[in-house]
């Protein structure tokens, strides 16, 4: 818990402890005084959600506990009712490191509920980040029991591929694209794609950068200007609540 907002970061060989990460996070936000009390149930829920999202993003089969965590996070303010249709907005980010390799992170909304995660051990270009964001969001939505999927993305390749049925089965494809093709096929005819430009102030963009920023902080690494801005803007949006710009 930091300044009234709960955060969770998946611990996969992180350098900083939870307390050290909180201090580093606070320094970027400009928070100068921290409450030393033990974190309450909100922080435990955030940690459980980070673990469940990590399992989801890595393509693992989710257990009962992870499914319950995802359900509670999505429907805590929706009276536990699962609607039929989910509106999805996605964005992916490829952060180029000093070694020239891109670390990927994704952000997405399920009916305006924000989610994000850094993809550990996975590298690639911006297109892979975009399709991974779509795949993760769709998998997440299906776990929650949604039956109609309306996807908005700013990546024209994918929206044209599925919205205009431009899938050429005999052309050579990557594993990540074949995986998304297979999922979209499973969800037909209940899935629809639409192109929507993503601005820097839109939630999916900020969330993807925010996930990468928290991941870098937990590794003891510095942040780019855009990552530091995302860390501050997302915190402000979470703290204020409601429909605010990220």
């Amino acid at each position: 818990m930091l300044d009234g907002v709960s955060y969770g970061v998946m611990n996969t060989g992180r350098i900083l402890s939870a307390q050290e990460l909180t201090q580093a996070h606070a320094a970027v936000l400009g928070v100068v005084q921290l409450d030393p009390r033990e974190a309450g149930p909100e922080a435990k829920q955030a940690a459980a959600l980070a673990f469940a999202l990590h399992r989801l993003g890595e393509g693992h089969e989710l257990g009962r506990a992870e499914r319950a965590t995802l359900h509670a996070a999505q429907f805590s303010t929706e009276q536990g009712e699962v609607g039929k249709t989910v509106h999805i907005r996605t964005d992916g980010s490829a952060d180029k490191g000093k070694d020239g390799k891109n670390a990927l992170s994704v952000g997405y909304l399920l009916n305006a509920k924000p989610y994000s995660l850094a993809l550990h051990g996975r590298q690639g270009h911006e297109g892979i980040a975009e399709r991974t964001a779509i795949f993760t969001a769709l998998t997440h939505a299906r776990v929650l029991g949604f039956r109609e999927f309306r996807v908005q993305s700013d990546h024209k390749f994918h929206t044209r591929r599925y919205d205009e049925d431009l899938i050429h089965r005999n052309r050579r494809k990557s594993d990540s694209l074949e995986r998304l093709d297979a999922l979209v096929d499973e969800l037909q005819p209940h899935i629809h794609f639409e192109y929507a430009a993503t601005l820097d102030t839109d939630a999916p963009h900020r969330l993807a950068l925010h996930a990468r920023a928290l991941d870098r902080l937990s590794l003891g690494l510095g942040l780019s200007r855009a990552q530091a801005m995302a860390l501050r803007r997302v915190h402000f949006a979470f703290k204020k609540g409601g429909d605010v710009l990220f």
Side-chain angles (χ1 to χ4, degrees), residues 122 125 127-135 138 155-162 166-185 193:
R122 194 176 307 177
H125 53 73
I128 293 179
E130 295 288 351
R131 76 179 56 126
T132 303
I134 296 171
F135 181 88
L138 286 172
H155 204 253
K156 290 184 178 179
F157 173 84
H158 295 102
T159 54
R160 293 195 67 197
R161 182 177 185 84
Y162 302 120
L166 296 178
I167 300 177
H168 305 286
R169 295 297 185 183
N170 295 327
R171 295 183 62 178
R172 186 176 181 181
K173 298 177 294 188
S174 67
D175 291 341
S176 61
L177 190 54
E178 290 181 355
R179 184 179 69 159
L180 182 56
D181 283 350
L183 178 57
V184 172
D185 285 348
F193 284 80

Side-chain angles (χ1 to χ4, degrees), residues 98-112:
K98 293 183 179 179
D99 57 2
K101 297 179 180 179
N102 292 333
L104 306 183
S105 58
V106 302
Y108 57 93
L109 301 178
L110 302 181
N111 284 346

Side-chain angles (χ1 to χ4, degrees), residues 66-87:
E66 289 83 32
R67 289 173 177 269
T69 294
L70 294 180
H71 192 278
Q74 179 70 27
F75 302 111
S76 58
T77 59
E78 298 179 25
Q79 300 167 345
E81 295 296 328
V82 179
K84 180 180 179 182
T85 301
V86 58
H87 295 270

Side-chain angles (χ1 to χ4, degrees), residues 85-88 134 138 147-153 158-159 162-164 184 187-195:
T85 301
V86 58
H87 295 270
I88 298 172
I134 296 171
L138 286 172
R147 294 294 178 264
E148 296 287 336
F149 307 85
R150 299 191 175 275
V151 182
Q152 287 185 326
S153 171
H158 295 102
T159 54
Y162 302 120
D163 187 52
E164 300 178 20
V184 172
L187 299 177
Q188 294 289 5
H190 305 288
I191 184 169
H192 307 278
F193 284 80
E194 177 187 359
Y195 172 78

